[in-house]
Amino acid sequence: MNIIVLAIVSVAVIALVCSVMLVIASNVMAVKEDPLFPAVRECLPGANCGACGYAGCDGYAKALAAGTDKRTTLCVPGGADCAQALAGVLGLEAGAVEKRVAIVFCGGDCTRTEARMDYQGAHSCAAAKLLFGGAGACAFGCLGNGDCVAVCPENAITIDKGVAVVNRDLCIGCGLCERSCPNHVIGVRPMSQKVFDRCSNPNRGKAVMDVCKAGCIGCTKCSKVCPEGAITMDHSLAQVNPTKCTACGTCVASCPTHCMSFAEPGMAPAPAKAERAEEKSAAAQ
Amino acid sequence: MDVKHLLFIILGAVFVNNYVLQRFLGICPFLGVSKKLDQASGMSIAVVFVMLLATAVTWPIQHFLLDPNGMGYLQTIVFILVIAALVQLVEIVLKRYIPALYKSLGIYLPLITTNCAVLGVTVLNITEKYSFGESMANSFGSGLGFFLAMVLFAGIRARTENCEAPESFKGLPITLTAAAILAASFSGFAGVVETLFGA
């Protein structure tokens, strides 16, 4: 009897000591959370993509709640709605948010370029890149093994004929694909930019033509024909200034390798009269 | 109790009596958290930390409270109670004073509360009749052994996930087979440490 009582009492005393210790500790050392934090966190989409520059949505919400960051427009996936909601919660003025989407700077699909080897390794661009710079003839183009497809949280990327294609409606512009691409073929650009030089090969002329029929040969023709002066040459690749570009399509029509192209096929302006006449005669033949 | 003796205990706990691969304790986190290397190492560091703390608390309880009063049979329940309370306390303290460490260990600490490797090391310290210093060395070695097993197995799993296993072997079967081979290879260490120290 005595033994049972002793056992019960000693275990109870140990448990009591432990619980008192825990109660005191949790009261004394409680971490006070900012009351704004849950409200701010509620506004964010919770994708934890890191496009805002913070480590996940929690990090951004913490900075906003603490007042160390007053920019409510950093959330790319949330867009304008999110910025508005955040501004409402924090009592700040919302700025304009421009939607950004990923663009694939490579047009070298399997009909335009050829493989140097029959790659049978791991199905990953990073792995393929390690093997003599990838299986494709062009060492700068899309490797087509879908590392970007794997990281995309919105399933906005598909591989079509060996080149990644971004669905601009689904893309949230988080930039995960940009960071996953070993050849840096994908970039996140403003939605308003409509014309792109779809090539990442920095070589010139014959060196590009030898490996890909769709590559930019750096002929500078587009920069000369552009009526707005929106195109500049960065070494041998054309860069379009989205604020000057009116998407008139002059450069697209003039490009000898058709690497200057619209982001979406539907963006092309109505063809000029002369072209229409040509099309008619072609149709008649 | 010289340094050589402590080193003998530590190396013995890491290689010969590895808690996961030879004593088969703590198999749940060994299979559950070993999918990624960073998670595996985070969990293991937390285990080393808790094993040392738990031993530092349970050894005096056994020798100054339970044994003198003839209550050795209460060992298991008291140890579980004390370890659980201790881990909770550590969590609170870490959250308050070292938030960065709390963030990296935080999610693993509650998991360790009921880890049988932690209870196992504290109980075995008593049954092996180790002194306090020897117990701490054994706990540290056991934690390191857990770390070693987790890191090795995380590497192995990274390979088995990518390999083309036969359909019936995919998933858990190949993982368990790999764990068995790893455990078998660790039994090759038996006797090595004893010979090394001439014990």
Side-chain angles (χ1 to χ4, degrees), chain A residues 71-283:
Chain A
R71 294 167 295 171
T72 58
T73 54
L74 294 183
C75 184
V76 180
D81 295 341
C82 174
Q84 207 73 44
L86 284 174
V89 168
L90 295 164
L92 296 168
E93 213 157 283
V97 184
E98 187 173 23
K99 187 174 179 214
R100 290 162 69 84
V101 288
I103 288 285
V104 181
F105 290 95
C106 177
D109 59 29
C110 59
T111 62
R112 314 281 173 83
T113 182
E114 273 160 25
R116 279 187 298 156
M117 57 174 128
D118 184 14
Y119 177 73
Q120 294 183 334
H123 201 65
S124 142
C125 301
K129 174 81 178 166
L130 289 175
L131 199 67
F132 308 108
C138 172
F140 306 95
C142 178
L143 294 152
N145 280 322
D147 279 10
C148 49
V149 177
V151 296
C152 182
E154 299 293 318
N155 297 327
I157 309 180
T158 46
I159 301 289
D160 183 29
K161 293 182 197 162
V163 171
V165 180
V166 179
N167 183 330
R168 287 166 73 90
D169 296 327
L170 292 178
C171 179
I172 57 172
C174 65
L176 286 175
C177 50
E178 189 176 18
R179 275 165 262 156
S180 76
C181 181
N183 270 354
H184 308 292
V185 162
I186 301 189
V188 176
R189 297 289 184 272
M191 187 77 168
S192 57
Q193 186 176 353
K194 295 195 167 61
V195 180
F196 297 92
D197 182 4
R198 281 192 197 273
C199 182
S200 299
N201 194 326
N203 290 331
R204 206 175 274 278
K206 188 173 178 340
V208 177
M209 286 299 275
D210 283 347
V211 294
C212 183
K213 286 180 208 138
C216 175
I217 53 174
C219 66
T220 72
K221 198 171 173 187
C222 50
S223 67
K224 285 170 192 150
V225 299
C226 181
E228 310 294 331
I231 301 178
T232 49
M233 296 305 292
D234 175 16
H235 298 283
S236 74
L237 291 171
Q239 296 290 336
V240 181
N241 183 341
T243 53
K244 285 186 186 167
C245 175
T246 57
C248 63
T250 318
C251 56
V252 176
S254 76
C255 181
T257 59
H258 307 292
C259 61
M260 287 305 285
S261 53
F262 288 102
E264 285 173 42
M267 281 178 177
K273 264 185 190 170
E275 282 174 343
R276 269 193 216 148
E278 271 177 25
E279 271 172 22
K280 263 185 195 165
S281 64

Side-chain angles (χ1 to χ4, degrees), chain B:
Chain B
M1 198 181 65
D2 53 334
V3 177
K4 201 178 161 190
H5 181 59
L6 290 183
L7 206 62
F8 170 67
I9 290 180
I10 291 177
L11 286 180
V14 172
F15 294 109
V16 182
N17 295 320
N18 190 297
Y19 267 71
V20 178
L21 299 171
Q22 291 304 314
R23 293 197 203 267
F24 307 114
L25 294 171
I27 296 294
C28 173
F30 178 62
L31 294 177
V33 201
S34 59
K35 273 187 185 148
K36 279 187 178 162
L37 187 59
D38 53 339
Q39 286 183 357
S41 52
M43 173 84 182
S44 314
I45 289 166
V47 166
V48 175
F49 184 61
V50 172
M51 273 184 175
L52 281 172
L53 262 178
T55 305
V57 174
T58 53
W59 195 90
I61 287 182
Q62 175 76 25
H63 286 274
F64 298 120
L65 190 72
L66 298 184
D67 280 349
N69 296 317
M71 294 191 296
Y73 58 92
L74 285 178
Q75 190 190 48
T76 310
I77 192 161
V78 169
F79 279 17
I80 289 176
L81 188 67
V82 170
I83 291 170
L86 186 75
V87 172
Q88 291 296 313
L89 185 71
V90 167
E91 206 182 335
I92 294 170
V93 172
L94 281 187
K95 196 174 181 185
R96 179 76 174 84
Y97 293 108
I98 322 176
L101 190 63
Y102 173 75
K103 263 201 174 156
S104 51
L105 295 187
I107 38 174
Y108 303 116
L109 281 175
L111 282 176
I112 294 164
T113 313
T114 50
N115 188 337
C116 59
V118 176
L119 183 66
V121 86
T122 53
V123 171
L124 281 170
N125 280 336
I126 308 297
T127 47
E128 295 276 338
K129 298 199 169 44
Y130 281 144
S131 72
F132 187 72
E134 288 170 333
S135 295
M136 292 304 279
N138 187 39
S139 304
F140 183 63
S142 307
L144 280 189
F146 187 83
F147 187 93
L148 181 70
M150 288 290 272
V151 168
L152 280 178
F153 202 55
I156 292 172
R157 274 191 96 159
R159 301 299 286 264
T160 57
E161 303 263 307
N162 284 338
C163 74
E164 291 279 331
E167 195 58 45
S168 54
F169 264 91
K170 269 182 186 157
L172 214 48
I174 191 126
T175 309
L176 287 171
T177 311
I181 294 171
L182 183 62
S185 60
F186 255 71
S187 59
F189 282 115
V192 170
V193 177
E194 281 85 344
T195 315
L196 213 66
F197 286 87

